[in-house]
C-alpha cells in the first residue's frame, strides 16, 4: 500500500532537531517530524515537589507539561487557560513524557532540583506525544550538561537514550509514524517509548476500531523498535559534539 | 516466591460482583477485588456530546468519570472539587474506561444517547482502574438491557465482553493482579483490557524501575490473558440469567 | 394518614450502622436510613487550620465535607469537580455537619490536630444531612478511640452523643424522617440536631410551601426529639463494647 | 445586664432604610442596622433557570446572591473572585435570602421572569443576613411595583411582608439583634425569618458554645417575633405611599 | 455644543468625597463624580508579595483590586466570583490603580507592608477608573497617616498628589469627564493620571471610532490637566486638617 | 549614549516577518524583533460573541488572546492553565491587540464571523505587545484575503495598516524599541499603536520611576511615529505581492 504522503509502511517522516531553540531555557529543542513541530524546553527549579520530599522518594524530580497552541490543529481549540482547566488529553500525555524522562535519569543525582520539561506543540500533524518525548530528551540532555558545567550536579545522571514513535494499523496494514490523516482512520494506535537497547519504557496501545491479537501487537512492536532505532540515531547526530565533550 | 498475601504469582485476588448496587442508576455494580472496592454506575443522557454531533462521528456515545473517595487511600486525599480541578491520574484513568466500553459497543445503535459510566472508588488497594473496567461492563450491560426493554434502542449494541487486569514485575518475577503493597515496589506495571477472545482493547505498560524487553512484555501479556479469562467467567456468572433473557 | 411506605407519622425508617466500613480511615461507618446510604469517614491531620491558629480559637479542629455520588439521586448530577466548584447545597450541609461534631467535642483536647469528617452519599432517598450527622458521630467516636489508644490525645474529648433527624409537614400532618417522595411535597422541612439530653445543637426549619406558627414548630420539635432519642439508642448499641472499653 | 452599646436585652439597634439607593436597579434599598450596612438590589431577567423550566416547578423564580466587600469586616477578606469560588458562608446565606423572598411571592405570577436579589455588605457589624432579608424585601417590593406599572406582570404576586432578625444567648441571657462583638461570644445564635402574622418562614439556630433546651428556644423565638414586628413596622413606614398606590 | 447633562465641554461633573466611609478600613473614602459612586478602602497586610521579596524590588508594596457591584450598571452583570474568574476589564483597571498609587509613594519606606486598595463601584455612570484613582488617593492618605500615628512607618512615604480624569472626543469635539451616555458614542477615549505638578503618571488613549492625530492628543491632554488640577483642589480640601496635622 | 546592544537611541532592532508560519491557520505570521519572537495566528469562527449580537453592535468581531510559553522568559513562568486563570498582564495585553485590529477593520463587512487572533510568545526579550500587534496585522491580512478568495466576505474590510512599537526613557534619554534589559530600568514606558498616516489608535504610557511632562510625551510620540513608519514599511514589503493581487 502506498501511504497518503507516498511513504512506505515502515518509513518514518523526515525528522529535524534544532538545538537551543529557546535562548533563556536551560535546555531546549525544536523537533519537527514531517509537518508536526514541537518546542521542548527544560527548566531548573531548585526544589522538589512536596510529595517527593515528604515520602523521601528521590533526591530530585522531573515533571512535564504539554500543551497545544490554539492553531496547532485544523480547527482552533480553546485554550486550557480560558477553560480554567487542563484537558484530559494533555494530562494523559504530559504524564507519559514525565515518566519517560524519569526512566532514563538517576533522580537521586539531581541534588534536590526539579527539571521541568515544557512541550508546546506549534503544529500537530499526528505523533505529537512521540515527538515531544524524542525532543524532550534533547532539551533534558542540554539542561543536564549545563548543570554539570555549573557544578550544580556532580555525577552524570542520564543513563540512556529515550525516544518514542507511534505505530498504527490502517486497513489491516501496520504503518510506522502515522500522520494526522492516517491517525484519524487507524484501527489500532500504539505509542512506544524505548531506550537505545530497544527495551520498553512505556507502551500504550488502543483499539480504536476493533480489538487486536497479541500476535499483531508483537508485529507492531518490532516496527516501533525499528523506528526508535532510527530516531536515536538522529538524536546521537544532533548531540554529536556534546557527547564527546561530556566524557 | 510467596506473595505478601500468600497468593501464587498467577493467582488473582477474590473477585465479587454485586449487581444493582445503586437503586436509581440505569445500571450499576459494586465490584470487589480483594480489599479494592469500586461502585460502577451507568446513566443515560438523551443527547450526544457536541463534538460527536458536529463531526458526525457516531450515533451515540459512552463517557466515563473516575474518582476516589477521600479515604479510599491510606492517607486522605483532597477532593478534586476542593482543588477545583480533576487530577491528572483521574483524567488518565477515566479516558481508558471510556475507550474500553466504547470498544465493545456499536455506538451507532445508541440512538442519540450518551451512557455515562461513573466509577467511584470506595477502597483503593491496587488495581482500581482494572476493577473499574471489569465492573463498568456489568453496569453498562444492565443499562443496555433496560434500554432494550424500554424500546429506547432497538438493536442489541454490545458486541463482546470486556474486562481488565494488571500484571506487574516485582523483584524480577511476573505477578498477576498486584495489590497496593506490591504495586508500590513493582519494577513494571502493565494494565491490559481484553475481550472474551482475549484480543487486546487497551494495553498500558510502564517501566517504573527499569526498562523491560519485548520478550518480558510477551510473558506478561500471557499472564494477563489468563487473568482476564478468569474475570470474564465471573462476569458471565454474574450476568447469568440476564444473558439468557437477552436472547 | 398512612405514609407512602406504610409508616406511621412518628415512625422512623429502619436504621442500620456498619462500623469500620473503610479500612484505611481512622474511623468510619456506613449508615443506612431506609434506602438512604452514607459513608462517613474520619481522618486525622496533624495540624489545625490557619485561621484557628492565628486567632488562637482552639487547640484542635473538626471540619466536614459532604458530597453526593453522581448517581445517588434519581437523575445523574454533575460532579462538583467537573463544575470546578462545590454546590451551594453541599456547602450548607457540610457546615452543619462540622458544627454538630464540634459541639460535642472539647476541641482544646485535640492536641493541634484536625479531624476531617467525609460524608459521601451513595444513595439519597431523603434525610442525607441527618444521616450524615448521625453516622459521622460513629466515625468520630472510632477515630477518637484510636487517638486515645495511640496516646496522641490524653484526655477523652467527646462530651456527649449527637444525632439528627428531619421532621416535615405534609398535607398539614407532622411526619418524622421524610423520605425523598415525602420531602418533595412537604410544606415545612425541619432538621434538628440534638444531644442525648435532647438539647438542641442545631435547628434549621424552612417553610417550603407556607409559613408555620411557633406552636407548630413546637410540635415538630417534640417529634424530632422522639426520633433522636431512638437514634442515640441505635448509636449506643452500635458502639456497645467500645463504650465499655473506653471507661 | 447592660449591653456593649448600652442597649436593653430586647432592644434592636436603630434601623434606617434608604429606598432607590441604586439608580439602575429595578428595585433597591440601603439598609442600616446600627453600623451594619447592606445594599440590596433587585434585577429582572426575562427567563427562568433551566431546572425550574425542565421540572415545570413554577412560572417564575427569585434567586439571591450575597457578598461582603473586602473591608466590610475588621480584617480584609480575600474576594471570592480572587479565590475563584464562593465561600461556604456566602453560599449558605444567599440560599436563605432566596428562600425567604420566594416564600412570600406567588412565583406563578412572575410570568417567566427571574428576579435577582443582590445583597452586598458594605459594613458587617453583625446581623448581615437578617439585614439582607429585611432590606431585600424593599428592593423586591419596588421591583414588583415597577413590573406592575410596566404591565409585565398582571396580578400582584407579593403575599405578605417578610423580615428577619437574630437573637442570641450571651452569658445565659437572651439578647435581640446581636452586634459583632456580642455575636463573637454568643453561646447560641438564632436567625429567624417571619411574616407579618409572625409565622415562621425560616429558622436557623446553632449552639456555638453549649446545647440549649427547647424551652430556651421558645423564649428566643418570642423575642425574635417582637423584633420582627418592629422591623415590619419600619418596612411599612418606608413603603408608605407606595403601599397606597398599589391598591 | 451643549452636553447631554447641560455641561460645558470643559466642565467636570460635581465631585464629592466622603472620608472614612468604611469604619473598619485603615483608610477609606466614598467618591462621587456625578452619579458615579465608588467606595475606596485601604488595608494593611504585614508582608510583601513573594515576587517583590524574591527580587528585592522594594521594601513594601501597594496592590489594588477593582470590582463592580452587579447592579452598578444598566443591566445586571454576573459576578466574577460566580464566573470563577476576574474579567479582563477589571484586571486592566486594577493594574492602573495600583501603578498610580505606587508612583507617588516611596515603597521602600513601607516597612515590609502591603497596602491593599479596594475599589468597589456602587454606580457606574462613566469614569469609574478615574474616580477610583482619585478616591483611592484619599484612602491611601488616611491609611498612611494611621500607620505614621501608630509608628508602624517612620518616614512619610507619600511624595505627591495623584488624581485622574477622562477626556473624550464626541462628534469631533473634545469633552472633559465623559458620563456613560457620552462614553458610549465617543470616538476617542483618553484616561490620564497626573500629579499636582501636572506631570503624567499614566496615559491610556484608545481610538474607539477612528484614529486621532498627535495634535488632537495634545489638545486632550491640556483639557485633562485642567480637570486634574480641579480634582487635586478637591482632594486638598477634603484632606485639609489632616494635611496640617501631618506636618 | 550607546545602548546595551550597540544601537542608537532611535534605532529599532532588526525585524523579520515570516508569513504562513502555521499551516492550518487561516492566516499566520512569525514576527521577530531582535530576540523577541511571537507566533500570530488568525482563525475564523462563523458567529459573533453574544454581547455583540444582543446589542447589535456590529456585523462581525475580532478578538485576541495573548500568552507566553513558560520559557519565553528568563525564569520559567507557571502556565495560566495550571493556575486556572489568565494573568492580569495577559488580559491587559490581549485587550489592546483586539482593539488595535478592530480599529482598522470595518466590522460590519465581516458577515457574522469572528476572527480570533492568537499571539503566542516564544521568546520575550521586551516589546512583545508591540510585536504581537505588528505581526497580528499580517495574520489578519492573510485571513481576510482567504475569506475574500472564498467569497465568504464580499467587500474588502481592512481600512489601513496598523503597527506598534515601544518607546522608553532610560537615564533621562528617550529610546526606541526597548529590549528586556532596557525595559527593566526604564523610567517611562510608552506603547503606541498607529496607522500608516501615523494617527494614534492606542497609546499607553506609564511612569515606572517618576512622572513625566507633556513635553516629554510629545518627544516620545515623535520617536514612536518614526519607528512605526519603519515597521509599516516592513509590513508592506512582507505583503508585497498579496497587496498587488488584492486590487
Amino acid at each position: 500500500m502506498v501511504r497518503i504522503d507516498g511513504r512506505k509502511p515502515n518509513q518514518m517522516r523526515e525528522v529535524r532537531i534544532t538545538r537551543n531553540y529557546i535562548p533563556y531555557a536551560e535546555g531546549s529543542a525544536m523537533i519537527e517530524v514531517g509537518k508536526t513541530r514541537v518546542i521542548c524546553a527544560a527548566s531548573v527549579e531548585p526544589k522538589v515537589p512536596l510529595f517527593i520530599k515528604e515520602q523521601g522518594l528521590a533526591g530530585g524530580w522531573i515533571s512535564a507539561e504539554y500543551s497545544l497552541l490554539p492553531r496547532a490543529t485544523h480547527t482552533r481549540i480553546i485554550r486550557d487557560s480560558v477553560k480554567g482547566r487542563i484537558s484530559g488529553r494533555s494530562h494523559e500525555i504530559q504524564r507519559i513524557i514525565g515518566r519517560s524522562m524519569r526512566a532514563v535519569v538517576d533522580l537521586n543525582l539531581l541534588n534536590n532540583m526539579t527539571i521541568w520539561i515544557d512541550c508546546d506543540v506549534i503544529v500537530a500533524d499526528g505523533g505529537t506525544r512521540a515527538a515531544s518525548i524524542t525532543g524532550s530528551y534533547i532539551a533534558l540532555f542540554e539542561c543536564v550538561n549545563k548543570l554539570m558545567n555549573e557544578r550544580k550536579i556532580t555525577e552524570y545522571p542520564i543513563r540512556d537514550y529515550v525516544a518514542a514513535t507511534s505505530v498504527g494499523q490502517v486497513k489491516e496494514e501496520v504503518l510506522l509514524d502515522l500522520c494526522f490523516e492516517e491517525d484519524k482512520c487507524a484501527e489500532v494506535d500504539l505509542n512506544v517509548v524505548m531506550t537505545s537497547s530497544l527495551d520498553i519504557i512505556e507502551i500504550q496501545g488502543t483499539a480504536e476500531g476493533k480489538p487486536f491479537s497479541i500476535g499483531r501487537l508483537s508485529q507492531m512492536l518490532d516496527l516501533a523498535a525499528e523506528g526508535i532505532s532510527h530516531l536515536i540515531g538522529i538524536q546521537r547526530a544532533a548531540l554529536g559534539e556534546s557527547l564527546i565533550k561530556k566524557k
Side-chain angles (χ1 to χ4, degrees), chain A:
Chain A
M1 189 181 82
V2 175
R3 296 168 73 174
I4 237 163
D5 49 7
R7 284 186 286 153
K8 286 179 233 149
N10 69 343
Q11 190 182 347
M12 190 170 276
R13 289 173 289 178
E14 195 191 344
V15 177
R16 284 167 303 277
I17 292 174
T18 310
R19 289 180 58 183
N20 285 313
Y21 190 76
I22 301 292
Y24 302 142
E26 276 75 48
S28 70
M30 159 71 98
I31 183 165
E32 296 169 81
V33 179
K35 279 194 286 186
T36 289
R37 255 184 287 165
V38 185
I39 298 178
C40 306
S43 304
V44 176
E45 189 184 25
K47 67 177 183 191
V48 291
L50 197 59
F51 76 96
I52 295 299
K53 202 168 184 174
E54 286 180 350
Q55 301 175 31
L57 291 177
W61 196 247
I62 302 174
S63 209
E65 290 186 358
Y66 167 98
S67 184
L68 295 163
L69 290 206
R71 270 327 284 278
T73 47
H74 285 77
T75 52
R76 185 179 186 264
I77 48 176
I78 297 173
R79 288 170 194 268
D80 285 348
S81 60
V82 171
K83 289 183 295 185
R85 54 184 65 193
I86 298 169
S87 80
R89 184 181 170 276
S90 291
H91 250 150
E92 186 177 315
I93 294 176
Q94 68 193 27
R95 285 166 61 85
I96 304 170
I97 302 170
R99 288 195 301 258
S100 299
M101 295 302 118
R102 291 194 295 270
V104 293
V105 172
D106 183 342
L107 298 173
N108 285 313
L109 300 177
L110 289 189
N111 220 350
N112 289 309
M113 291 181 283
T114 295
I115 298 179
W116 285 90
I117 302 291
D118 285 292
C119 297
D120 287 272
V121 179
I122 306 299
V123 182
D125 185 28
T128 62
R129 87 182 65 189
S132 294
I133 290 166
T134 306
S136 291
Y137 180 75
I138 305 299
L140 175 68
F141 185 97
E142 284 186 355
C143 176
V144 162
N145 270 14
K146 191 166 186 299
L147 289 171
M148 288 292 290
N149 289 339
E150 294 171 351
R151 318 248 162 189
K152 289 191 179 153
I153 53 178
T154 50
E155 200 175 327
Y156 196 72
I158 300 181
R159 294 285 169 253
D160 204 339
Y161 284 83
V162 60
T165 194
S166 74
V167 178
Q169 177 186 309
V170 179
K171 293 188 188 148
E172 294 294 330
E173 193 169 9
V174 173
L175 304 178
L176 180 65
D177 181 32
L178 305 190
C179 68
F180 177 75
E181 286 301 318
E182 291 170 335
D183 191 58
K184 259 194 346 189
C185 56
E187 294 128 23
V188 181
D189 187 16
L190 180 73
N191 282 276
V192 185
V193 186
M194 283 177 166
T195 60
S196 64
S197 53
L198 302 180
D199 282 329
I200 300 166
I201 281 175
E202 184 96 19
I203 170 171
Q204 285 197 319
T206 301
E208 303 284 356
K210 62 177 175 185
F212 53 102
S213 66
I214 294 184
R216 173 49 56 110
L217 175 64
S218 182
Q219 190 185 346
M220 291 168 85
L221 272 168
D222 289 344
L223 188 53
E226 211 177 292
I228 287 170
S229 184
H230 174 64
L231 285 166
I232 290 178
I234 290 168
Q235 288 179 331
R236 270 188 223 271
L239 296 175
E241 290 177 49
S242 312
L243 287 174
I244 295 157
K245 272 198 212 135
K246 173 165 76 81
K247 277 156 200 171

mmCIF file of all heavy atoms in Angstrom, chain A residues 7 19-20 26 38 40 43 57-58 68 77 83 86 88 91 98 103 136 161 175 199-200 202 211 216 219 232 242-243:
data_model
loop_
_atom_site.group_PDB
_atom_site.id
_atom_site.type_symbol
_atom_site.label_atom_id
_atom_site.label_comp_id
_atom_site.label_asym_id
_atom_site.label_seq_id
_atom_site.Cartn_x
_atom_site.Cartn_y
_atom_site.Cartn_z
ATOM 1 N N ARG A 7 4.842 7.585 1.528
ATOM 2 C CA ARG A 7 5.831 6.805 2.282
ATOM 3 C C ARG A 7 5.554 5.306 2.190
ATOM 4 O O ARG A 7 4.439 4.878 1.921
ATOM 5 C CB ARG A 7 5.783 7.195 3.762
ATOM 6 C CG ARG A 7 6.441 8.512 4.052
ATOM 7 C CD ARG A 7 6.476 8.739 5.544
ATOM 8 N NE ARG A 7 5.158 9.092 6.058
ATOM 9 C CZ ARG A 7 4.749 8.862 7.290
ATOM 10 N NH1 ARG A 7 5.559 8.224 8.139
ATOM 11 N NH2 ARG A 7 3.549 9.221 7.688
ATOM 12 N N ARG A 19 18.666 22.388 18.013
ATOM 13 C CA ARG A 19 19.015 22.542 19.433
ATOM 14 C C ARG A 19 18.989 24.003 19.859
ATOM 15 O O ARG A 19 19.059 24.901 19.024
ATOM 16 C CB ARG A 19 20.407 21.964 19.682
ATOM 17 C CG ARG A 19 20.410 20.457 19.592
ATOM 18 C CD ARG A 19 21.768 19.880 19.826
ATOM 19 N NE ARG A 19 22.278 20.275 21.151
ATOM 20 C CZ ARG A 19 23.487 19.945 21.593
ATOM 21 N NH1 ARG A 19 24.286 19.219 20.843
ATOM 22 N NH2 ARG A 19 23.880 20.343 22.783
ATOM 23 N N ASN A 20 18.923 24.240 21.160
ATOM 24 C CA ASN A 20 18.985 25.602 21.716
ATOM 25 C C ASN A 20 17.976 26.542 21.077
ATOM 26 O O ASN A 20 18.276 27.696 20.799
ATOM 27 C CB ASN A 20 20.388 26.187 21.508
ATOM 28 C CG ASN A 20 21.372 25.569 22.461
ATOM 29 O OD1 ASN A 20 21.098 25.470 23.653
ATOM 30 N ND2 ASN A 20 22.497 25.113 21.929
ATOM 31 N N GLU A 26 17.208 26.393 30.116
ATOM 32 C CA GLU A 26 18.451 25.703 30.466
ATOM 33 C C GLU A 26 18.769 24.627 29.423
ATOM 34 O O GLU A 26 19.913 24.190 29.292
ATOM 35 C CB GLU A 26 18.333 25.076 31.862
ATOM 36 C CG GLU A 26 18.632 26.064 32.976
ATOM 37 C CD GLU A 26 17.497 27.053 33.193
ATOM 38 O OE1 GLU A 26 16.342 26.610 33.281
ATOM 39 O OE2 GLU A 26 17.754 28.279 33.241
ATOM 40 N N VAL A 38 7.223 20.670 17.516
ATOM 41 C CA VAL A 38 7.068 20.837 18.961
ATOM 42 C C VAL A 38 8.288 21.548 19.531
ATOM 43 O O VAL A 38 9.419 21.208 19.187
ATOM 44 C CB VAL A 38 6.922 19.464 19.675
ATOM 45 C CG1 VAL A 38 6.639 19.653 21.167
ATOM 46 C CG2 VAL A 38 5.841 18.611 19.032
ATOM 47 N N CYS A 40 10.438 22.011 22.770
ATOM 48 C CA CYS A 40 10.679 21.364 24.062
ATOM 49 C C CYS A 40 11.671 22.216 24.841
ATOM 50 O O CYS A 40 12.730 22.563 24.310
ATOM 51 C CB CYS A 40 11.276 19.973 23.862
ATOM 52 S SG CYS A 40 10.300 18.925 22.766
ATOM 53 N N SER A 43 13.690 23.405 32.200
ATOM 54 C CA SER A 43 13.946 24.462 33.181
ATOM 55 C C SER A 43 14.328 23.822 34.500
ATOM 56 O O SER A 43 13.869 22.730 34.820
ATOM 57 C CB SER A 43 12.690 25.301 33.405
ATOM 58 O OG SER A 43 12.215 25.828 32.192
ATOM 59 N N LEU A 57 11.045 9.967 48.328
ATOM 60 C CA LEU A 57 11.100 9.071 47.176
ATOM 61 C C LEU A 57 12.376 9.183 46.368
ATOM 62 O O LEU A 57 12.869 8.208 45.826
ATOM 63 C CB LEU A 57 9.904 9.337 46.256
ATOM 64 C CG LEU A 57 8.547 8.915 46.820
ATOM 65 C CD1 LEU A 57 7.443 9.292 45.866
ATOM 66 C CD2 LEU A 57 8.530 7.409 47.078
ATOM 67 N N ALA A 58 12.888 10.395 46.251
ATOM 68 C CA ALA A 58 14.061 10.568 45.403
ATOM 69 C C ALA A 58 14.729 11.875 45.764
ATOM 70 O O ALA A 58 14.143 12.736 46.423
ATOM 71 C CB ALA A 58 13.657 10.569 43.931
ATOM 72 N N LEU A 68 -1.049 22.382 23.473
ATOM 73 C CA LEU A 68 -1.148 22.720 22.058
ATOM 74 C C LEU A 68 -1.397 24.213 21.926
ATOM 75 O O LEU A 68 -2.253 24.758 22.627
ATOM 76 C CB LEU A 68 -2.344 21.996 21.429
ATOM 77 C CG LEU A 68 -2.329 20.467 21.348
ATOM 78 C CD1 LEU A 68 -3.747 19.956 21.092
ATOM 79 C CD2 LEU A 68 -1.405 19.986 20.245
ATOM 80 N N ILE A 77 -8.565 25.343 18.777
ATOM 81 C CA ILE A 77 -9.024 24.803 20.050
ATOM 82 C C ILE A 77 -8.959 25.887 21.121
ATOM 83 O O ILE A 77 -8.096 26.759 21.086
ATOM 84 C CB ILE A 77 -8.201 23.580 20.502
ATOM 85 C CG1 ILE A 77 -6.702 23.872 20.381
ATOM 86 C CG2 ILE A 77 -8.547 22.354 19.682
ATOM 87 C CD1 ILE A 77 -5.839 22.755 20.906
ATOM 88 N N LYS A 83 -10.545 27.866 29.555
ATOM 89 C CA LYS A 83 -11.469 26.916 30.170
ATOM 90 C C LYS A 83 -11.180 26.780 31.669
ATOM 91 O O LYS A 83 -12.019 26.295 32.414
ATOM 92 C CB LYS A 83 -11.339 25.536 29.500
ATOM 93 C CG LYS A 83 -11.892 25.509 28.078
ATOM 94 C CD LYS A 83 -11.808 24.114 27.489
ATOM 95 C CE LYS A 83 -10.355 23.689 27.324
ATOM 96 N NZ LYS A 83 -10.203 22.398 26.655
ATOM 97 N N ILE A 86 -6.934 21.960 32.643
ATOM 98 C CA ILE A 86 -6.135 21.251 31.654
ATOM 99 C C ILE A 86 -6.981 20.120 31.077
ATOM 100 O O ILE A 86 -7.664 19.415 31.810
ATOM 101 C CB ILE A 86 -4.863 20.708 32.324
ATOM 102 C CG1 ILE A 86 -4.031 21.887 32.844
ATOM 103 C CG2 ILE A 86 -4.057 19.851 31.362
ATOM 104 C CD1 ILE A 86 -2.893 21.469 33.738
ATOM 105 N N GLY A 88 -8.156 16.543 29.528
ATOM 106 C CA GLY A 88 -7.793 15.174 29.882
ATOM 107 C C GLY A 88 -6.673 14.650 28.993
ATOM 108 O O GLY A 88 -5.737 14.001 29.464
ATOM 109 N N HIS A 91 -3.349 16.117 30.030
ATOM 110 C CA HIS A 91 -2.947 15.477 31.277
ATOM 111 C C HIS A 91 -2.311 14.113 31.018
ATOM 112 O O HIS A 91 -1.248 13.789 31.541
ATOM 113 C CB HIS A 91 -4.182 15.292 32.174
ATOM 114 C CG HIS A 91 -4.165 16.192 33.357
ATOM 115 N ND1 HIS A 91 -5.310 16.663 33.942
ATOM 116 C CD2 HIS A 91 -3.151 16.730 34.084
ATOM 117 C CE1 HIS A 91 -4.991 17.429 34.968
ATOM 118 N NE2 HIS A 91 -3.701 17.487 35.067
ATOM 119 N N GLY A 98 6.726 12.864 31.335
ATOM 120 C CA GLY A 98 7.443 12.890 32.613
ATOM 121 C C GLY A 98 7.993 11.518 32.979
ATOM 122 O O GLY A 98 9.174 11.377 33.323
ATOM 123 N N ALA A 103 12.578 7.769 33.560
ATOM 124 C CA ALA A 103 13.032 6.388 33.422
ATOM 125 C C ALA A 103 14.499 6.273 33.021
ATOM 126 O O ALA A 103 15.131 5.240 33.243
ATOM 127 C CB ALA A 103 12.153 5.647 32.410
ATOM 128 N N SER A 136 12.144 16.153 23.915
ATOM 129 C CA SER A 136 12.410 16.481 25.318
ATOM 130 C C SER A 136 13.740 15.909 25.769
ATOM 131 O O SER A 136 14.439 16.488 26.607
ATOM 132 C CB SER A 136 11.292 15.941 26.219
ATOM 133 O OG SER A 136 10.108 16.663 25.991
ATOM 134 N N TYR A 161 19.576 6.699 26.280
ATOM 135 C CA TYR A 161 18.752 7.491 25.367
ATOM 136 C C TYR A 161 17.293 7.119 25.569
ATOM 137 O O TYR A 161 16.987 6.032 26.075
ATOM 138 C CB TYR A 161 19.124 7.180 23.910
ATOM 139 C CG TYR A 161 20.397 7.816 23.480
ATOM 140 C CD1 TYR A 161 21.623 7.225 23.766
ATOM 141 C CD2 TYR A 161 20.379 9.035 22.812
ATOM 142 C CE1 TYR A 161 22.807 7.818 23.394
ATOM 143 C CE2 TYR A 161 21.569 9.639 22.424
ATOM 144 C CZ TYR A 161 22.771 9.036 22.715
ATOM 145 O OH TYR A 161 23.928 9.642 22.338
ATOM 146 N N LEU A 175 1.540 0.393 9.982
ATOM 147 C CA LEU A 175 2.275 1.546 9.471
ATOM 148 C C LEU A 175 3.076 2.217 10.577
ATOM 149 O O LEU A 175 2.616 2.330 11.706
ATOM 150 C CB LEU A 175 1.303 2.576 8.897
ATOM 151 C CG LEU A 175 0.329 2.123 7.808
ATOM 152 C CD1 LEU A 175 -0.588 3.288 7.414
ATOM 153 C CD2 LEU A 175 1.084 1.614 6.588
ATOM 154 N N ASP A 199 14.704 -1.613 24.737
ATOM 155 C CA ASP A 199 13.823 -2.067 25.808
ATOM 156 C C ASP A 199 12.697 -1.051 25.964
ATOM 157 O O ASP A 199 12.869 0.137 25.633
ATOM 158 C CB ASP A 199 14.599 -2.231 27.118
ATOM 159 C CG ASP A 199 15.405 -3.531 27.135
ATOM 160 O OD1 ASP A 199 14.950 -4.501 26.498
ATOM 161 O OD2 ASP A 199 16.478 -3.553 27.760
ATOM 162 N N ILE A 200 11.592 -1.526 26.497
ATOM 163 C CA ILE A 200 10.389 -0.689 26.573
ATOM 164 C C ILE A 200 10.378 0.134 27.857
ATOM 165 O O ILE A 200 10.632 -0.381 28.945
ATOM 166 C CB ILE A 200 9.124 -1.573 26.538
ATOM 167 C CG1 ILE A 200 9.085 -2.383 25.235
ATOM 168 C CG2 ILE A 200 7.866 -0.729 26.673
ATOM 169 C CD1 ILE A 200 8.070 -3.516 25.252
ATOM 170 N N GLU A 202 7.692 2.640 27.997
ATOM 171 C CA GLU A 202 6.243 2.864 28.079
ATOM 172 C C GLU A 202 5.622 2.317 26.799
ATOM 173 O O GLU A 202 6.156 2.479 25.710
ATOM 174 C CB GLU A 202 5.966 4.370 28.196
ATOM 175 C CG GLU A 202 4.553 4.784 28.389
ATOM 176 C CD GLU A 202 4.185 5.018 29.858
ATOM 177 O OE1 GLU A 202 5.108 5.207 30.690
ATOM 178 O OE2 GLU A 202 2.978 5.001 30.159
ATOM 179 N N PRO A 211 -10.581 -4.830 18.332
ATOM 180 C CA PRO A 211 -9.523 -5.431 19.157
ATOM 181 C C PRO A 211 -8.473 -6.112 18.286
ATOM 182 O O PRO A 211 -8.765 -6.551 17.163
ATOM 183 C CB PRO A 211 -10.287 -6.443 19.993
ATOM 184 C CG PRO A 211 -11.693 -5.931 20.049
ATOM 185 C CD PRO A 211 -11.925 -5.296 18.714
ATOM 186 N N ARG A 216 -0.469 -9.539 16.593
ATOM 187 C CA ARG A 216 -0.417 -8.263 15.887
ATOM 188 C C ARG A 216 0.363 -7.230 16.699
ATOM 189 O O ARG A 216 1.145 -6.451 16.149
ATOM 190 C CB ARG A 216 -1.864 -7.793 15.627
ATOM 191 C CG ARG A 216 -2.064 -6.409 15.040
ATOM 192 C CD ARG A 216 -1.234 -6.077 13.835
ATOM 193 N NE ARG A 216 -1.307 -6.942 12.688
ATOM 194 C CZ ARG A 216 -1.867 -6.639 11.517
ATOM 195 N NH1 ARG A 216 -2.418 -5.451 11.352
ATOM 196 N NH2 ARG A 216 -1.860 -7.485 10.518
ATOM 197 N N GLN A 219 4.034 -7.724 16.189
ATOM 198 C CA GLN A 219 4.460 -7.205 14.880
ATOM 199 C C GLN A 219 4.631 -5.680 14.922
ATOM 200 O O GLN A 219 5.581 -5.113 14.383
ATOM 201 C CB GLN A 219 3.359 -7.591 13.890
ATOM 202 C CG GLN A 219 3.673 -7.379 12.441
ATOM 203 C CD GLN A 219 2.440 -7.688 11.591
ATOM 204 O OE1 GLN A 219 1.459 -8.304 12.069
ATOM 205 N NE2 GLN A 219 2.460 -7.278 10.337
ATOM 206 N N ILE A 232 16.935 7.385 17.535
ATOM 207 C CA ILE A 232 18.074 7.534 18.444
ATOM 208 C C ILE A 232 19.331 7.856 17.648
ATOM 209 O O ILE A 232 20.197 8.617 18.101
ATOM 210 C CB ILE A 232 18.206 6.290 19.359
ATOM 211 C CG1 ILE A 232 17.027 6.305 20.361
ATOM 212 C CG2 ILE A 232 19.546 6.294 20.104
ATOM 213 C CD1 ILE A 232 16.965 5.131 21.312
ATOM 214 N N SER A 242 28.528 17.377 21.708
ATOM 215 C CA SER A 242 28.255 17.450 23.148
ATOM 216 C C SER A 242 28.567 16.120 23.794
ATOM 217 O O SER A 242 29.048 16.054 24.927
ATOM 218 C CB SER A 242 26.783 17.787 23.382
ATOM 219 O OG SER A 242 26.407 18.876 22.574
ATOM 220 N N LEU A 243 28.263 15.050 23.063
ATOM 221 C CA LEU A 243 28.508 13.723 23.611
ATOM 222 C C LEU A 243 29.977 13.535 23.904
ATOM 223 O O LEU A 243 30.370 12.990 24.920
ATOM 224 C CB LEU A 243 28.035 12.654 22.629
ATOM 225 C CG LEU A 243 26.521 12.507 22.520
ATOM 226 C CD1 LEU A 243 26.176 11.537 21.410
ATOM 227 C CD2 LEU A 243 25.935 12.046 23.850
#
